[in-house]
Amino acid sequence: MTTHEVPQALTVDGFRVRQSFGVGTLSRNATVMGVVALTADGLIGTQAPLSLLVSLPVTGAVIGLAAARRHGMTALSYYWAKFAWKRAARYDATSYRRLLLPHPYALDLPGVGASSTLIKAHDPTSGRPVGVVHDRATGYMTVTTLLAPGGSLMAPTGAVQSSLRTWSSVLDAMSTDEQVKGASVTIQITPGAGEALEDDVAARKDPAAPQLAKQIIDELVRTTPHATASVAPWMSVTVDPTAAVSAPADLAEQVAEALRVVDTVDLSGTGTDIERRATDVDLRRIVRAAYDPDVFNARDREFRDLSWSECGPQAADDGWEEYAHDGGVSVSWVLREMPRRPVAYSVLLPLLAPGRFQRRITLSYRVLDPHEGEAVLEREISNAYQRAQATAEVKGRARWSQKADAARAEKAAAQVASGAQVVDWTLAVTATARSAADLPAARQELARAVSATRGIRMRPAYGAQAAVFASGLPIGYNPLVKD
């Protein structure tokens, strides 16, 4: 049995991209806009026929770009995004320099984190401090839970099946809770454990241990920092505390409500070991170390007095395919398409394997309400059959890919009717190099890791490097959560 051969019971499928119905490869909106544009050309042409010499070629070119595909998106979307990015770069809107603003907390973090602020709260269930990120624009709050790194590759088949079923139950519970807006799971792999390993070993060392054992442990701590990888997983849950039946009256009650809701997300039995709720110091370390990897292994006392704004970059430049910040240059890729066949539960293992560069892998979730999920799938079934029927009327028969797509939509609807949930999700991976000279090597290492998954298709986050970079941090930003 090879590393990619697993029992049939440990494979997962049901991945499908939403597709609207339109003419040919056009989406519904593109089809409507094309019809409107052609109608407008015809009306104008009746009054000024010579205008058709200009309007028809322009309309045809736009429709052609909307129908063509580039990097998994329409060519029109790709080139429009590039035009918008170049325009923003011309006015230095893609560059960030931290300044002392006259109004406190006017701009703590750049980009999508600008409206976030960090609150230090007390968790009554554990008696420990906990960090809560508050989005002042939406009122949402994000609580992060630190997880213990582990795996299930050596676990029995029954244990893995049980973990998958339990995780499905967690998603089911999230779908019926109106206050839970979304969640994300991030795993960060950093080469070298540094002083953080020394702190962890010192806290767990038994003073009564034999002297020889102490010497061996001290020698291992001294020699292993440059030969190990630090794995830091966490889960962030975004909550709307004001969606409660009795809306909280003030900020303190909103924080308490957010903590109460997150406590209902029970991860026991999912194969994940919960370490603790992330404190404000933990969040400062994660965010600051993402922008400046050199401080990742620093001790906790160096983060306690940092303000939330100081956790962000001193300077950053958002490029088309890279993101330059304080201590390095990062490149982020996003999911383009999942395989249309069942994949092993360990399909992400190549992305989680340590390499030369720091890497963050983030799975973002938004579980649809049961009624919304059923409506979405019914609409997808109708769209799939309409596309197949339109192709059959033109070519005499529908394409096999269209028939298979309709079958997958029907299978998903049958699963939902049996109690499954519809989940919007996406995958993002960020690799960080310490210098621009190492960026090609980091990009190549990331490309090889994606290729090793044997089926998952990803692409660079063109023109959105800073946003995707931030989506892997516990700053309250989830790309699937809408206001």
Side-chain angles (χ1 to χ4, degrees):
M1 178 179 293
T2 68
T3 55
H4 289 273
E5 292 176 347
V6 297
Q8 184 66 28
L10 297 184
T11 58
V12 292
D13 59 359
F15 309 110
R16 188 176 179 276
V17 179
R18 291 193 191 185
Q19 299 181 23
S20 60
F21 173 69
V23 176
T25 58
L26 293 174
S27 65
R28 182 184 61 184
N29 292 337
T31 299
V32 172
M33 294 301 295
V35 171
V36 171
L38 290 174
T39 303
D41 289 344
L43 294 176
I44 296 174
T46 58
Q47 303 297 324
L50 292 178
S51 65
L52 296 177
L53 297 177
V54 176
S55 60
L56 284 181
V58 171
T59 301
V62 173
I63 293 176
L65 289 174
R69 310 293 293 182
R70 185 171 176 82
H71 302 295
M73 66 184 87
T74 64
L76 182 62
S77 298
Y78 175 82
Y79 289 115
W80 178 257
K82 192 158 190 176
F83 168 78
W85 176 84
K86 286 185 175 181
R87 184 174 182 274
R90 186 180 301 114
Y91 293 100
D92 292 331
T94 58
S95 298
Y96 170 82
R97 301 295 182 267
R98 188 161 70 87
L99 302 173
L100 294 176
L101 299 178
H103 190 284
Y105 314 115
L107 190 63
D108 284 339
L109 295 178
V112 295
S115 60
S116 67
T117 188
L118 178 62
I119 299 174
K120 181 180 180 180
H122 177 77
D123 189 357
T125 59
S126 63
R128 296 178 178 178
V130 60
V132 179
V133 176
H134 179 216
D135 190 326
R136 295 175 296 233
T138 62
Y140 296 165
M141 293 187 174
T142 301
V143 180
T144 299
T145 302
L146 301 183
L147 308 175
S152 55
L153 293 178
M154 301 297 292
T157 300
V160 178
Q161 286 180 302
S162 176
S163 297
L164 293 175
R165 285 193 298 267
T166 306
W167 181 246
S168 176
S169 299
V170 172
L171 297 178
D172 186 18
M174 291 171 59
S175 70
T176 56
D177 193 332
E178 295 181 354
Q179 293 182 266
V180 178
K181 296 301 179 182
S184 63
V185 177
T186 300
I187 301 178
Q188 179 172 282
I189 301 100
T190 304
E195 291 81 359
L197 175 63
E198 182 180 353
D199 289 345
D200 182 63
V201 172
R204 300 166 62 182
K205 188 185 298 183
D206 186 358
Q211 188 62 30
L212 178 61
K214 293 181 180 180
Q215 292 176 355
I216 293 175
I217 290 296
D218 291 341
E219 180 66 16
L220 287 174
V221 170
R222 187 183 66 82
T223 56
T224 56
H226 298 291
T228 60
S230 174
V231 181
W234 62 82
M235 179 177 183
S236 298
V237 180
T238 300
V239 175
D240 183 7
T242 61
V245 176
S246 299
D250 54 23
L251 185 62
E253 292 186 5
Q254 291 178 15
V255 172
E257 180 68 15
L259 292 175
R260 184 196 66 78
V261 173
V262 174
D263 284 339
T264 63
V265 181
D266 186 10
L267 298 180
S268 58
T270 61
T272 301
D273 295 328
I274 298 177
E275 189 172 314
R276 54 183 168 81
R277 298 282 184 232
T279 65
D280 58 311
V281 176
D282 294 325
L283 297 181
R284 290 190 185 99
R285 172 191 290 275
I286 292 173
V287 176
R288 182 62 198 143
Y291 289 105
D292 187 2
D294 289 335
V295 304
F296 177 81
N297 296 320
R299 292 178 169 83
D300 286 348
R301 63 173 178 265
E302 299 184 27
F303 298 96
R304 288 194 180 97
D305 297 330
L306 287 181
S307 65
W308 190 234
S309 62
E310 291 174 325
C311 296
Q314 300 290 328
D317 293 298
D318 188 9
W320 178 246
E321 292 190 47
E322 67 281 332
Y323 182 53
H325 44 87
D326 289 354
V329 185
S330 297
V331 56
S332 297
W333 284 25
V334 294
L335 182 66
R336 176 175 171 177
E337 185 182 8
M338 283 294 292
R340 300 179 182 180
R341 54 177 173 77
V343 296
Y345 76 101
S346 57
V347 66
L348 296 181
L349 189 60
L351 290 174
L352 302 175
R356 288 179 53 197
F357 305 97
Q358 185 185 73
R359 190 184 304 163
R360 273 191 313 279
I361 300 92
T362 301
L363 279 166
S364 300
Y365 299 92
R366 186 179 75 90
V367 187
L368 275 61
D369 175 85
H371 297 291
E372 181 187 359
E374 183 178 358
V376 167
L377 287 178
E378 289 297 331
R379 186 166 59 249
E380 289 296 303
I381 292 175
S382 298
N383 292 339
Y385 276 105
Q386 288 173 0
R387 286 192 300 272
Q389 183 177 359
T391 302
E393 291 177 355
V394 175
K395 296 185 176 181
R397 66 174 180 83
R399 293 195 298 267
W400 281 108
S401 60
Q402 293 176 331
K403 295 180 180 179
D405 183 65
R408 285 196 299 270
E410 286 188 336
K411 181 180 178 180
Q415 292 173 339
V416 169
S418 301
Q421 299 301 323
V422 180
V423 180
D424 278 344
W425 69 280
T426 188
L427 173 67
V429 183
T430 297
T432 300
R434 299 300 178 90
S435 65
D438 292 332
L439 185 61
R443 185 179 283 111
Q444 183 183 54
E445 181 179 272
L446 179 56
R448 287 176 176 173
V450 172
S451 177
T453 61
R454 297 187 180 182
I456 296 180
R457 302 180 66 186
M458 303 188 71
R459 62 169 176 81
Y462 297 111
Q465 290 288 319
V468 176
F469 180 94
S471 69
L473 303 178
I475 63 173
Y477 172 67
N478 187 320
L480 300 179
V481 175
K482 308 301 181 182
D483 296 347

